[in-house]
Amino acid sequence: MAFFKQLKSAGVTADTMPVLSVSVAEEEVTGIGVDNIAGHPVAWNYYQTTDTPENEAFVKAYKAKYGQNKVTSDPMEAGYNAVYLWAEAVKKAGTTEVEAVRKAAPGISLDRPEGKVTIDGENQHMYKTARIGIIQPDGLIKQVWDSGEPIKPDPYLKGYPWAGGLSAGQ
């Protein structure tokens, strides 16, 4: 929060030096103060404004339960998704035994508020759509770009030549 407040007090704005954040969602905008962060870009997989039928229902249900002024966010939606993905893996495994569920999980796909998500069989991470958005004066995020389809997860950076020595501590 202090970072964006200090930027603004130093005269640095999104127009003069946009700062791309990968951990600021709609919830944090309130704490930072929308006047301090509006116009700056963010990268996530989900925004409250993500345009899917599943998200419309998700946001409506969330606001009905927690209040019209409450916002959803990427971490919140990811946790919500995890419960449903785990349930699908349990159904497929026929048990809640951890190893059986883990073995059943690869390839499970669901249409969630952010769009289609799929559990990767190689690394147990999610295929997800990447999004870049701009924080709006109302505190919501307007998507300005997306990857067009879910991206295969690469949590260990195996697909990047520059990262070759990282796992060896080099």
Side-chain angles (χ1 to χ4, degrees), residues 26-30 48 59-60 62-73 76 138-140:
E26 292 87 343
E27 282 183 304
E28 288 81 23
V29 170
T30 302
Q48 180 172 290
V59 171
K60 183 178 179 181
Y62 182 83
K63 287 182 173 289
K65 182 165 179 78
Y66 298 106
Q68 292 304 307
N69 294 328
K70 298 293 185 179
V71 292
T72 60
S73 67
M76 181 186 301
D138 65 0
L140 295 180

Side-chain angles (χ1 to χ4, degrees), residues 51-137:
D51 188 17
T52 68
E54 293 81 8
N55 190 45
E56 186 176 331
F58 175 67
V59 171
K60 183 178 179 181
Y62 182 83
K63 287 182 173 289
K65 182 165 179 78
Y66 298 106
Q68 292 304 307
N69 294 328
K70 298 293 185 179
V71 292
T72 60
S73 67
D74 183 277
M76 181 186 301
E77 189 260 357
Y80 175 81
N81 293 346
V83 173
Y84 286 91
L85 289 160
W86 176 81
E88 286 299 312
V90 167
K91 282 186 214 172
K92 187 175 172 185
T95 179
T96 58
E97 195 278 319
V98 174
E99 189 58 26
V101 172
R102 189 186 69 72
K103 286 179 180 175
I108 291 175
S109 287
L110 295 174
D111 289 321
R112 305 306 306 145
E114 70 184 74
K116 183 178 281 297
V117 295
T118 304
I119 300 173
D120 185 71
E122 184 180 319
N123 57 42
Q124 298 275 308
H125 284 71
M126 300 299 303
Y127 281 76
K128 298 180 106 181
T129 300
R131 293 182 165 83
I132 296 177
I134 304 292
I135 299 173
Q136 301 299 293

